[in-house]
Amino acid sequence: MIIEIDFNSPQAIYIQLKNQIVVAIAQDKLKEGQSLPSVRQMADTLGVNMHTVNKAYAILRQEGYLKLDRRKGAVISVEADKDAEMEALYEEMEMLVARAVCKGVSREDMTRIVQNMYDTFEGESLNL
């Protein structure tokens, strides 16, 4: 797995790291039970502070993407409380849909975007 950090991005580095790990799990590049590099190793590889990596890992653990194993370190473990996840997704999507409505993006265009994203994560071709 290759993580690419954009040091010029307005998005915090720990968020970039967290998001790229979630996307890698969705794309099946990171699999259940697979160990991530240690905080120190990841920080050295990316050229960032260990606290930055630790924060990303902590959020991933809190959100149910990682668990800590004494022998293996940070391990991919996608735990899902479907009801809680649906509620969290609703809250996140609410703002996206509100932005789309304000900017005149049609329901059909939004539906197509979501369908294309699912297709991409499920390995099918992208049709914009």
Side-chain angles (χ1 to χ4, degrees):
M1 179 186 79
I2 298 174
I3 301 286
E4 294 182 7
I5 299 299
D6 180 358
F7 292 99
N8 296 316
S9 172
Q11 190 174 54
I13 293 170
Y14 76 93
I15 294 174
Q16 292 181 52
L17 176 57
K18 177 192 78 82
N19 290 348
Q20 288 186 46
I21 290 171
V22 172
V23 168
I25 294 168
Q27 293 174 333
D28 213 26
K29 292 177 182 176
L30 287 173
K31 300 180 187 322
E32 182 83 21
Q34 185 174 347
S35 295
L36 290 178
S38 71
V39 169
R40 184 181 308 264
Q41 289 170 326
M42 182 70 84
D44 288 346
T45 299
L46 298 176
V48 300
N49 189 296
M50 285 184 1
H51 296 291
T52 300
V53 176
N54 195 45
K55 188 170 185 176
Y57 280 15
I59 293 169
L60 287 163
R61 187 175 61 121
Q62 179 182 9
E63 292 180 355
Y65 294 100
L66 291 181
K67 68 178 179 181
L68 297 179
D69 182 287
R70 291 179 191 248
R71 289 175 277 165
K72 295 182 179 180
V75 177
I76 302 300
S77 176
V78 183
E79 300 172 3
D81 173 352
K82 190 169 181 180
D83 291 337
E85 192 61 28
M86 291 295 289
E87 186 176 320
L89 287 170
Y90 182 89
E91 290 176 11
E92 291 178 40
M93 295 280 300
E94 183 176 38
M95 195 64 210
L96 292 174
V97 172
R99 285 178 46 200
V101 169
C102 289
K103 299 294 184 173
V105 177
S106 71
R107 178 186 303 247
E108 293 78 17
D109 286 342
M110 283 297 287
T111 300
R112 187 170 48 253
I113 289 169
V114 171
Q115 288 172 337
N116 283 334
M117 287 180 178
Y118 266 94
D119 290 347
T120 299
F121 287 121
E122 293 171 350
E124 298 176 19
S125 63
L126 184 65
N127 300 309
L128 288 177

